[in-house]
Amino acid sequence: MHKVSKLIASVFAASLMLVVGSATAQAQGKIATIRAAELVQQSPQFKAGQTQMKSEFDKRKSDLEAEAKKLGEDLQKFKREQDVMSADARSKTEKDLNTRKIDFDYKQRQFGEDFQKRDKELTESMMGKIKAVIEAVAKEKGVDVVVQDPVYATAAIDITDDVLKRLQTAGAGK
């Protein structure tokens, strides 16, 4: 009788542990991880964005660099020759150089602002596409939560490669 009670108590305890363990597993959900930097750097969307930025801003950048070089040369020439120039010529040249410097500074600031604005637009667009692919892969795999760049995660829950393959397929289709 005592042995039967112990057996029943053991079976009851084991089934209780299974029920509790099952409920805990259901409450926790399925978790996956991604390596965001790798997704961004290796995605064809990122590479296309870099190419687009380069095509949009390289000409302006080289024009600004040429203008800066010419302005620098003209300033050096003025510094060398100002002592032998007439007062009128010196004043006129100085005023012209100051005006050119102000214009150049404005163009440089405008270039930086335009570059940052366009970079932000392209980044937001790219991140929207990447997020949509992450969500699609997570739903297909039955994942409840995707954690970005954890300190530690096993390869079994990392979906970065799956997302990257999907991004490459989408990038090749465009």
Side-chain angles (χ1 to χ4, degrees), residues 79-91:
K79 286 179 182 177
R80 282 191 313 268
E81 297 175 356
Q82 71 180 343
D83 293 336
V84 294
M85 297 173 92
S86 69
D88 273 351
R90 185 173 46 242
S91 176

Side-chain angles (χ1 to χ4, degrees), residues 94-107:
E94 197 171 18
K95 183 177 178 184
D96 178 55
L97 288 171
N98 283 334
T99 301
R100 286 176 53 198
K101 174 77 170 112
I102 290 168
D103 288 345
F104 174 76
D105 289 344
Y106 174 77
K107 288 177 188 176

Side-chain angles (χ1 to χ4, degrees), residues 23-158:
T24 303
Q26 287 176 349
Q28 288 178 345
K30 189 171 177 186
I31 296 174
T33 64
I34 57 164
R35 298 179 310 274
E38 187 175 324
L39 281 177
V40 170
Q41 290 173 351
Q42 293 184 13
S43 73
Q45 293 80 358
F46 177 74
K47 292 172 184 167
Q50 283 183 315
T51 302
Q52 189 172 354
M53 288 288 289
K54 185 173 174 61
S55 69
E56 288 180 26
F57 289 95
D58 268 2
K59 171 108 174 70
R60 280 178 67 187
K61 181 181 176 187
S62 57
D63 289 348
L64 277 173
E65 289 170 349
E67 188 174 337
K69 183 179 178 186
K70 177 71 173 134
L71 183 60
E73 290 169 355
D74 290 349
L75 282 167
Q76 289 299 320
K77 180 180 176 186
F78 174 72
K79 286 179 182 177
R80 282 191 313 268
E81 297 175 356
Q82 71 180 343
D83 293 336
V84 294
M85 297 173 92
S86 69
D88 273 351
R90 185 173 46 242
S91 176
K92 184 178 183 237
T93 304
E94 197 171 18
K95 183 177 178 184
D96 178 55
L97 288 171
N98 283 334
T99 301
R100 286 176 53 198
K101 174 77 170 112
I102 290 168
D103 288 345
F104 174 76
D105 289 344
Y106 174 77
K107 288 177 188 176
Q108 198 171 28
R109 258 191 325 278
Q110 193 64 44
F111 174 81
E113 290 171 7
D114 291 349
F115 185 88
Q116 286 179 345
K117 180 181 175 190
R118 187 66 176 130
D119 185 51
K120 183 179 177 186
E121 290 170 357
L122 288 173
T123 300
E124 287 174 358
S125 170
M126 177 191 55
M127 293 310 291
K129 292 173 185 175
I130 290 174
K131 183 181 175 192
V133 171
I134 291 170
E135 288 176 7
V137 169
K139 286 178 183 175
E140 288 173 13
K141 293 185 173 283
V143 173
D144 297 312
V145 176
V146 177
V147 178
Q148 177 179 319
D149 300 320
V151 173
Y152 172 78
T154 64
I157 63 170
D158 191 334

